[in-house]
Amino acid sequence: MTSPALVGATPVATVASALAAQPTAMPSITATNDFVVKFANVNGSGSASANELFAKAILRMGVPVSPRNIFPSNIQGLPTWYEIRVTEQGWLGRRGGVDLMVAMNPQTWNADVREVEPGGYLFYDNSKYVPPSKLRSDINVIGMPLTEICNATYSDARQRQLFKNILYLGALSVMLDIEPQVIEQLFTEQYKGKEKLLDSNVKALHLGRDYAARHIGRIGLTVRRADKVGERIFVDGNTAAALGCVYGGASVCAWYPITPSSSVAESFQSYCQKLRVDPETGKNRFAIVQAEDEIASIGMVIGAAWNGARAFTATSGPGVSLMTEFLGLAYFAEVPAVLINVQRGGPSTGMPTRTQQADLLACAYASHGDTKHILLFPEDPKECFDHSAAALDLADRLQTPVFVMTDLDIGMNQRLCAPFQWDDRREYDRGKVMSAADLESGKDFGRYLDVDGDGIPYRTYPGTHPSKGGYFTRGTTRNAYAQYSEAGPDYLYNVQRLLKKLDTAKTLVPQPVLRKAAQPARFGVLYFGSTSPAMEEALAALAAMDLHVDAMRLRAFPFPDCVPEFIAAHEQVFVVEQNRDAQLRSMLINELEIAPARLPKILHYDGTPITARFITSAIAERMRTAHGDRA
């Protein structure tokens, strides 16, 4: 076994010379604008800012990036990772594997070293000796005495820690040929008005660059300026959802803090302070309440919406669990409400800072009894914006709770996406609301009366008319005129009308997106939400292997009629989702009465975002097995 390629061990060592001394070593990975870098740090060390600067610098050079922050559910001390996919082709999902590991955490060293692809690169702080047994013979090991340099340069302990991150940023800029001017411009923007901080960060950056230029040099991974970003914006899904709620007309937000959704409410407040303050009086035209718990928050949302306001809450799985009784009331009493559910790993406390798509059943059927709710499935921040605005229209139009089912991967990670479309002429769809003039003209008002066959009754806002249009809002059974009734026919009328309303919803929710294979395909695949970026890449990889699959991205529940038609057109349809129990597949079987064998499941649920490699491998294996069985 050959020894690992050691770079930076002596003042004259370079990547090239180290590899030249090892004729039997595995070839190094060489790639331009197409690789994965992962940073392994300690939470609370100040590394997040430097790692984000690294990603943004590459983005500013016109090369698409897709970063993902993997962090623990504590304040500091535990391991944290920041993974960046760099790809000129524009793939935004996780690829799988790491080409360059920046290993700054001894606690996770062994696992971090294992992740590096053969021929890849391991960059670490060699101020302390690392025995060869802790390294690998098939990767290139690059050492830099970061701690020694910081100790010799800075006397303050906190400065030593913080500028260590900037030092490795400078070294990486040399190793990967990232333009230093771009990083300096980012510093200028970040520390505007704080020249002392600006100067000290620039100094640390060049301290790292100077050392790397003398002792390390370039490696096989290169960033080359391109023009592949276009007009796309770089934003996280929680910020996008918050702005979508503003655009959709929300004026009330009631919430209780919970990871990973808290920044939705915080961003909503920030935007409202800019966009929802009366310019003449200076008074707020919004209300944001941090409730004592999730139960209170959804109660406030329902109360505000019943009164005619557009209201929402932001939460995650444990919060939804607490809200279910109120959700049943809103469903049966037919009161609008919007919930932004940023899903995380469960059950119970589960993995608060990991991602899953595991709240589908809990949300679709939230509450006891026969209950069904509308779910929207955004794939990226752009759709978080669009779907959040649309959810407020749908909730009013259908007089029912609507869930926007995002997750941590979309919500808390910045992603390239199309710009948001904002139209100041947008008119809100308030649905069937009877006015005072309608009531005065003698129109028959029955709060739960279906007058035109779509299952949706008319409602009135409180105070619409001094003597007409009033009704008692109750969670108990009643007749079409909101009068208390336990008569079987009255109960059947209402619950069957609610199903008819769900049928109407099929035509109003965002419709699925169909992607046909290049040639006729026996197999199909259904997927949704944050699985989308990895799925797009996997479909291209499968096609390159001459394995052709028709694909449909679901964007809402209840499922539109084109979904069972898609399934019927294929021998088998793979259902790809990020949970243990195949929850989407269960809903498809239950709602559409599909034979389970028609829907093989592809499941990923370890808390990390699904990768293109995982999907490609799983589908390819099953397709080849099926082809073999047919032969």
Side-chain angles (χ1 to χ4, degrees), residues 477-480 485-497:
T477 57
R478 69 273 163 168
N479 63 20
S485 171
E486 292 189 16
D490 287 336
Y491 175 77
L492 291 175
Y493 165 79
N494 274 301
V495 295
Q496 290 171 354
R497 180 180 54 77

Side-chain angles (χ1 to χ4, degrees), residues 142-277:
I142 305 169
M144 177 174 171
L146 294 165
T147 300
E148 289 183 9
I149 296 172
C150 286
N151 288 346
T153 309
Y154 306 102
S155 57
D156 180 77
R158 185 58 176 164
Q159 281 190 327
R160 288 173 174 176
Q161 176 59 61
L162 294 176
F163 287 124
K164 179 178 175 180
N165 303 315
I166 304 302
L167 252 68
Y168 71 63
L169 175 63
L172 293 174
S173 70
V174 170
M175 292 159 55
L176 277 69
D177 202 21
I178 299 172
E179 298 171 8
Q181 300 89 343
V182 174
I183 303 175
E184 290 176 14
Q185 178 59 35
L186 288 167
F187 281 146
T188 301
E189 296 168 11
Q190 182 172 339
Y191 298 114
K192 186 177 181 180
K194 301 176 181 177
E195 278 65 31
K196 187 175 181 180
L197 289 174
L198 171 62
D199 293 343
S200 59
N201 275 274
V202 171
K203 178 184 175 182
L205 176 75
H206 284 280
L207 196 62
R209 282 186 58 82
D210 291 345
Y211 183 93
R214 291 195 307 270
H215 303 301
I216 301 175
R218 293 269 303 280
I219 62 173
L221 307 178
T222 304
V223 179
R224 181 179 60 201
R225 183 169 281 277
D227 188 17
K228 299 296 183 179
V229 175
E231 297 300 316
R232 287 180 292 177
I233 61 176
F234 196 54
V235 65
D236 64 88
N238 284 357
T239 299
L243 188 57
C245 288
V246 175
Y247 183 55
S251 58
V252 175
C253 171
W255 67 297
Y256 184 78
I258 182 172
T259 302
S261 72
S262 294
S263 60
V264 175
E266 292 162 357
S267 296
F268 181 73
Q269 180 174 1
S270 176
Y271 284 123
C272 283
Q273 288 170 342
K274 296 177 182 177
L275 303 172
R276 286 281 172 79
V277 176

Side-chain angles (χ1 to χ4, degrees), residues 232-421:
R232 287 180 292 177
I233 61 176
F234 196 54
V235 65
D236 64 88
N238 284 357
T239 299
L243 188 57
C245 288
V246 175
Y247 183 55
S251 58
V252 175
C253 171
W255 67 297
Y256 184 78
I258 182 172
T259 302
S261 72
S262 294
S263 60
V264 175
E266 292 162 357
S267 296
F268 181 73
Q269 180 174 1
S270 176
Y271 284 123
C272 283
Q273 288 170 342
K274 296 177 182 177
L275 303 172
R276 286 281 172 79
V277 176
D278 189 292
E280 295 181 1
T281 66
K283 292 184 177 181
N284 294 337
R285 296 184 295 188
F286 63 91
I288 300 173
V289 181
Q290 181 176 320
E292 60 267 35
D293 55 34
E294 287 91 348
I295 301 172
S297 68
I298 190 63
M300 293 175 186
V301 167
I302 293 168
W306 175 84
N307 202 44
R310 288 198 152 185
F312 78 97
T313 189
T315 190
S316 193
V320 173
S321 297
L322 291 169
M323 295 177 183
T324 53
E325 185 174 6
F326 259 134
L327 289 168
L329 170 65
Y331 172 78
F332 199 49
E334 298 180 66
V335 181
V338 170
L339 297 90
I340 312 294
N341 180 9
V342 190
Q343 298 169 89
R344 70 190 209 185
S348 188
T349 304
M351 295 190 292
T353 59
R354 299 291 187 267
T355 195
Q356 280 188 358
Q357 297 173 315
D359 293 351
L360 273 67
L361 292 173
C363 293
Y365 307 113
S367 190
H368 54 277
D370 293 322
T371 312
K372 291 184 184 178
H373 300 295
I374 294 164
L375 314 181
L376 307 184
F377 304 132
E379 70 164 344
D380 64 2
K382 170 66 162 61
E383 286 197 344
C384 285
F385 173 84
D386 292 341
H387 287 7
S388 295
L392 291 155
D393 274 349
L394 287 168
D396 269 354
R397 175 78 176 271
L398 295 163
Q399 301 173 30
T400 197
V402 177
F403 288 83
V404 179
M405 302 292 288
T406 178
D407 58 38
L408 185 146
D409 185 31
I410 303 174
M412 295 194 72
N413 290 315
Q414 293 177 303
R415 189 82 56 83
L416 278 173
C417 67
F420 306 154
Q421 301 299 314

